[in-house]
Amino acid sequence: MGNLCTCFSPKTPVKTKKPTKRLQGNPQTAPNSSNRWTRIRSTRKDNHDDLIHEQALAAAILFRQHQQQNGSASGSFPFDRSVSLRHPNGSGSKKTQLPRSSSSRARSLTDPLLQPHQLVNQDIKLDDLETKHLVLVHGGGFGAWCWYKTIALLEEGGFKVTAVDLTGSGIHSFDTNGITSLSQYVKPLTDFLDKLADGEKTILVGHDFGGACISYAMELFPHKVSKAIFVAAAMLTNGQSTLDMFSQKAAGSSDLMQQAQIFVYANGNNNPPTAINLDKSILRDLLFNQSPGKDVALASVSIRPIPFAPVLEKLSLSDLKYGTVRRFYIETPEDNAIPITLQESMIKSSPPEKVFRLKGADHSPFFSKPQALHKLLVEISKIP
């Protein structure tokens, strides 16, 4: 009806009726409506600024009171350089939730952010340890890159960390197909240990096939290894190979590892395989079933073939050398590559000093449970 009236009205009043029609709800105050809303918005902004100012003053007063109650002479606290925000679980309501960390993955309750006072043996200082130097050894197909979270956490805590790339792994340029022995594959690790100063010791941490690699190094340099930590790793006995260990899996069990293996025959099909590739279509289910997508993406473009000859080689381990090094095992119960039953079988065959379990961890706890893994590494390093 309004449109019909507009069409039959004289041309001169049309210009005045159109704006009147748009402001039909309150024609008398329409000309000043812009100023009116400006004043309202300005008043609300002023009130908001005042509220923020009052909250800031209240926070400053509480902070000062906290300082006085704790007897802080300098009036300051150490600055937490962590990227992630740290606050007690369950504090605050949903309306006042603190911002989340830069990670897009919701933090698991089994992998909490840890403060130094939450660690076991907290009364032991790093300078009092036999060694605070950890050497991280990756598993088959992985490289030093897989430890990036662990390296950052350990170094932030004051530890010295070395992550090695074994031959043909990570950024090591050697062709994997040319590796013919375990000693050749482990050479970057043994060279590193050989160059350590007399009396200098390290803590070896091996993951997956890296367990066999640190065992080989322990036999050669027992006097340079303070402790050995096996993380979802091959912990073999004398005369056993990594292939022997995998053959212990229960018959008929769902073997994702076997499904994922793609053998490479660089010397021709009539000769033994030279390497093993992993089918990337089932990589997540096999190695990263509890890990963040961004870490799976990193692994999918970084994993290299696994040399076949070292997997076949049987270890020679003696009680006088390998047997003198203190061993610890970290179990990963959600592991599809080395199932928990197989881990427990290795532990039973060659019992370590102590066994730890990372609840909810897959085969790659440095991705799926980095904080909890870090806690255990620190705790083991401090065991007297």
Side-chain angles (χ1 to χ4, degrees):
M1 188 68 182
N3 291 336
L4 184 62
C5 292
T6 303
C7 293
F8 286 98
S9 298
K11 290 184 179 180
T12 52
V14 168
K15 294 181 180 179
T16 58
K17 283 188 177 181
K18 279 188 177 180
T20 304
K21 179 174 177 287
R22 290 192 192 100
L23 301 171
Q24 186 173 344
N26 193 2
Q28 294 179 354
T29 60
N32 297 325
S33 62
S34 177
N35 292 334
R36 170 176 171 264
W37 286 109
T38 300
R39 289 196 300 272
I40 292 174
R41 284 195 297 267
S42 177
T43 302
R44 289 178 179 174
K45 183 176 182 300
D46 291 341
N47 292 339
H48 183 65
D49 291 343
D50 291 341
L51 179 60
I52 292 177
H53 182 65
E54 290 175 3
Q55 291 175 340
L57 287 175
I61 292 171
L62 289 173
F63 181 72
R64 183 61 181 172
Q65 290 175 347
H66 181 70
Q67 284 182 323
Q68 293 172 351
Q69 291 173 0
N70 286 274
S72 174
S74 61
S76 62
F77 290 98
F79 177 64
D80 186 355
R81 294 173 296 174
S82 171
V83 175
S84 299
L85 291 168
R86 304 187 178 194
H87 56 275
N89 292 331
S91 63
S93 62
K94 292 183 179 180
K95 295 182 180 179
T96 58
Q97 284 183 343
L98 293 174
R100 293 178 58 180
S101 73
S102 57
S103 173
S104 59
R105 180 175 67 107
R107 182 165 300 283
S108 169
L109 293 178
T110 60
D111 184 33
L113 287 165
L114 299 168
Q115 299 290 350
H117 66 269
Q118 294 176 279
L119 298 175
V120 178
N121 298 319
Q122 57 174 319
D123 54 330
I124 300 178
K125 298 179 181 179
L126 290 183
D127 293 337
D128 296 334
L129 299 178
E130 183 179 17
T131 179
K132 57 180 179 180
H133 186 181
L134 280 79
V135 179
L136 310 179
V137 183
H138 62 81
F142 289 83
W145 51 266
C146 72
W147 298 105
Y148 78 95
K149 294 180 181 180
T150 304
I151 294 170
L153 290 168
L154 288 170
E155 288 184 341
E156 188 181 69
F159 287 88
K160 180 180 179 181
V161 186
T162 300
V164 298
D165 276 320
L166 300 177
T167 305
S169 305
I171 61 173
H172 195 286
S173 59
F174 196 85
D175 182 5
T176 307
N177 294 296
I179 300 173
T180 58
S181 67
L182 182 60
S183 62
Q184 183 183 8
Y185 180 60
V186 185
K187 195 172 187 302
L189 173 61
T190 54
D191 284 351
F192 172 80
L193 292 173
D194 186 46
K195 293 176 183 177
L196 288 178
D198 292 338
E200 185 177 354
K201 290 195 172 186
T202 63
I203 297 174
L204 295 184
V205 182
H207 169 250
D208 184 75
F209 186 36
C213 298
I214 67 172
S215 297
Y216 180 89
M218 290 157 62
E219 179 68 21
L220 293 180
F221 304 98
H223 57 289
K224 292 188 176 182
V225 183
S226 171
K227 296 169 185 170
I229 305 173
F230 295 76
V231 182
M235 188 170 64
L236 309 178
T237 57
N238 181 44
Q240 190 180 31
S241 71
T242 303
L243 185 63
D244 294 334
M245 180 269 294
F246 276 109
S247 66
Q248 294 177 5
K249 289 185 178 182
S253 62
S254 177
D255 193 351
L256 283 173
M257 177 64 80
Q258 187 174 357
Q259 297 175 34
Q261 292 175 353
I262 303 173
F263 290 96
V264 179
Y265 296 85
N267 297 329
N269 292 336
N270 294 327
N271 293 303
T274 54
I276 307 170
N277 271 322
L278 296 178
D279 185 349
K280 292 187 177 181
S281 67
I282 58 177
L283 205 59
R284 177 190 287 272
D285 292 335
L286 177 66
L287 304 175
F288 313 112
N289 49 299
Q290 301 294 324
S291 298
K294 58 186 178 183
D295 291 324
V296 180
L298 170 65
S300 67
V301 297
S302 303
I303 280 183
R304 294 178 62 180
I306 305 167
F308 188 66
V311 176
L312 293 177
E313 190 168 327
K314 297 181 183 297
L315 290 181
S316 177
L317 305 174
S318 67
D319 291 336
L320 294 177
K321 294 182 179 180
Y322 169 83
T324 61
V325 180
R326 302 173 67 187
R327 289 178 293 119
F328 302 85
Y329 201 97
I330 298 178
E331 295 179 336
T332 49
E334 302 301 323
D335 199 323
N336 288 333
I338 303 181
I340 187 62
T341 53
L342 184 53
Q343 295 178 40
E344 291 175 342
S345 174
M346 289 187 290
I347 291 168
K348 184 178 180 180
S349 299
S350 180
E353 183 174 323
K354 194 169 183 179
V355 178
F356 300 84
R357 175 171 288 202
L358 276 177
K359 184 179 179 182
D362 57 18
H363 186 63
S364 306
F366 36 73
F367 290 157
S368 59
K369 292 288 178 284
Q371 293 282 347
L373 174 62
H374 167 248
K375 175 188 174 183
L376 290 184
L377 294 179
V378 172
E379 180 175 338
I380 293 171
S381 72
K382 291 187 175 183
I383 295 176

